[in-house]
Every structure is written in C-alpha cells, then in structure tokens.
Amino acid sequence: MTRLAIGGLVHETVSFLPEETTLADFERRAVRSDGIAPAFAGSNTVFGGFLKVCEDNGVAVEGLLCAECAPSGPVSREAFKALAGELVSRAALWRDETDGLLLHLHGAMVSRGELDPEHALLARLRKALGDDYPIAVAMDLHGNVGAEKAALADILCGFRHSPHTDMAETGERTAKLLLGRLAGNIKPVHALARPGLVLPSIFTATAVSPLKEIMDDVRAAADQPGILDVTLFTGFAYADVPEIGATVVAIADGDEALAIRTAE
C-alpha cells in the first residue's frame, strides 16, 4: 500500500512589523502525528485536500507536523529552529516507511536570520530524505517563489483564487500529481518565469480585472496537452526579501521545453 507523509509549516510574514511571531503563536494551532487526519479531514484546507485524495485512492497517511498561524511579524529564530527541526526529524523518521511527502508551505515566510526560511527548510528536508524521495508542495497564491526554492520540490502548486476559496482543491491537485508520479503515469518537470512585478495584496483579487483575465489565461494554459499544472504566484508585497514578486510555475509531463514556453 502506498503511504504518504503529510506536514506543513505555514506563515505569511509581514517583515515590516516589529513584533516577532513566537513558538507559542504556532503552538496554539499545531497538530501532530495521528491528530492531523481528524483535525483536517473534510475541511477546505490544503491538508483537507491532501487527506481527501489519500482516502479516495486507498493511500495510508503518516502525519508529521502541521503548524500555522495568522499573518504577523517575522518568525522568531527560536520558533523556526524548533518547528523546522521537528518537521525534518519526523520526516526523516518515516522516510523508509513512506513513498513521498505532501507538504504545505505558505511561500512568504520570513524569520529572524533567514530571509527565505522555506528554502532552508526544503534544503534540510531534501538532505534528510534524499534526492530521489518525492516532495510535493502546495503554496498560497501570495508566495514569493524563487527558482532555488522551487527546484527543491518535485511538484509545486498554488492557489488560484483570492480570497482563498480553493485551498482544498489546491491540496487535491498537488496530491493527485504526486500519486501520478509514484504510479509512473506522469513525469512532472517544472519551469518558472518571473515578470518583475510586485503586486500589493489589494490588487490580487482574482475575480477583479486585470487579474481575472490573467487567471483565465492560467487555467487555459493548464488545459494544454502535455501540461499538468500552472500556477501564478502573485507574491507578497509586505515581505522585504530578495525573491519578492510574481512568479509563474508551469508543470509539464516530461517536456521541459513545453514547461518553459508555457511559463514564459
């Protein structure tokens, strides 16, 4: 039986705020191990989407750590060290008993001493799990997604709606692609394009022009033969980091050239 690990560390960081986000802030909503499935099953969350696809396909689940809190100031060194360390340790513990990892990150986390802590976390996971271990990541539409961070994931999908009404749907898209890869039915390869735009969040409502029409183009691009998924990450303007701004990620089935053309 296929078994997938599920975990996440989720925070949208407003780096200009003076107060830090502490470990206690995350612990108020943190869920671990066997508590993850009952906490999120049936919910319109990324974790809920992960779990639905696993249930529908007879996939066993191993819960790691799901920790998240509301948008706020930079994550403290203590909080990131503790939570990232725990997530990596739990993933490594179950490495040989699981076939892949379903991971939820926001995409715009900032911590004290780490401008891109999600990149640091993914690098640690990749080192602990190995280059051949499949990692599929679901992110928020407002993620600041650079090439180095994206390269550490085998599959990377994001929300397509703001307000975020499609969180579970995004988790489902991500999980289905991971299962397709594990079954050998698809060979996901992805490419990025960065137009050099920083969009204030007030201009990222996906039901309002001009983003509405752009998102229509995203969905049309995703329906192309040979394309598995397309995401437009609008970025998060209130995180003062080098990778700030919009990014398009296109995933193709074994055709890197098609992925590049689609993203561009």
Side-chain angles (χ1 to χ4, degrees):
M1 174 185 287
T2 300
R3 180 182 295 272
L4 296 178
I6 291 180
L9 181 54
V10 186
H11 189 252
E12 185 177 61
T13 304
V14 183
S15 64
F16 301 98
L17 293 177
E19 293 186 4
E20 290 187 341
T21 302
T22 68
L23 182 58
D25 294 325
F26 281 98
E27 288 292 355
R28 292 187 185 100
R29 295 170 60 183
V31 186
R32 294 169 169 86
S33 191
D34 293 341
I36 290 173
F40 293 104
S43 66
N44 184 19
T45 63
V46 168
F47 300 121
F50 288 166
L51 291 166
K52 182 178 187 304
V53 170
C54 289
E55 182 180 6
D56 290 349
N57 290 273
V59 173
V61 169
E62 183 57 48
L64 304 178
L65 165 69
C66 298
E68 55 186 323
C69 65
S72 50
V75 177
S76 71
R77 292 175 188 269
E78 175 199 20
F80 178 67
K81 180 180 179 180
L83 295 169
E86 181 181 348
L87 186 54
V88 172
S89 295
R90 287 177 178 269
L93 180 66
W94 288 98
R95 192 256 181 255
D96 294 334
E97 282 74 36
T98 53
D99 300 288
L101 170 62
L102 288 168
L103 183 67
H104 180 25
L105 303 174
H106 181 280
M109 176 186 282
V110 181
S111 67
R112 296 297 189 200
E114 287 280 0
L115 291 177
D116 195 346
E118 292 155 328
H119 175 266
L121 172 58
L122 281 167
R124 289 181 62 184
L125 284 167
R126 184 53 76 193
K127 182 177 180 180
L129 300 175
D131 292 337
D132 295 332
Y133 186 89
I135 300 176
V137 183
M139 287 188 178
D140 193 291
L141 173 144
H142 293 108
N144 291 316
V145 183
E148 291 185 357
K149 181 158 59 182
L152 292 167
D154 297 280
I155 294 161
L156 177 60
C157 302
F159 305 164
R160 292 177 178 166
H161 293 275
S162 182
H164 304 320
T165 57
D166 64 329
M167 294 182 291
E169 188 273 335
T170 302
E172 291 178 31
R173 280 166 43 218
T174 308
K176 287 175 182 177
L177 289 178
L178 180 56
L179 290 183
R181 182 193 184 284
L182 290 173
N185 298 327
I186 56 173
K187 297 180 179 179
V189 293
H190 62 255
L192 281 72
R194 309 201 77 210
L197 297 174
V198 178
L199 304 175
S201 296
I202 195 172
F203 295 127
T204 61
T206 54
V208 179
S209 296
L211 201 54
K212 178 182 182 300
E213 288 75 24
I214 295 172
M215 286 300 185
D216 288 342
D217 291 341
V218 167
R219 283 183 281 272
D223 288 337
Q224 293 179 87
I227 290 293
L228 301 173
D229 196 79
V230 180
T231 298
L232 165 61
F233 294 97
T234 63
F236 187 58
Y238 312 112
D240 187 16
V241 296
E243 300 296 349
I244 191 172
T247 303
V248 176
V249 177
I251 305 176
D253 187 3
D255 189 339
E256 185 176 3
L258 176 59
I260 293 170
R261 289 197 304 272
T262 301
E264 290 180 346

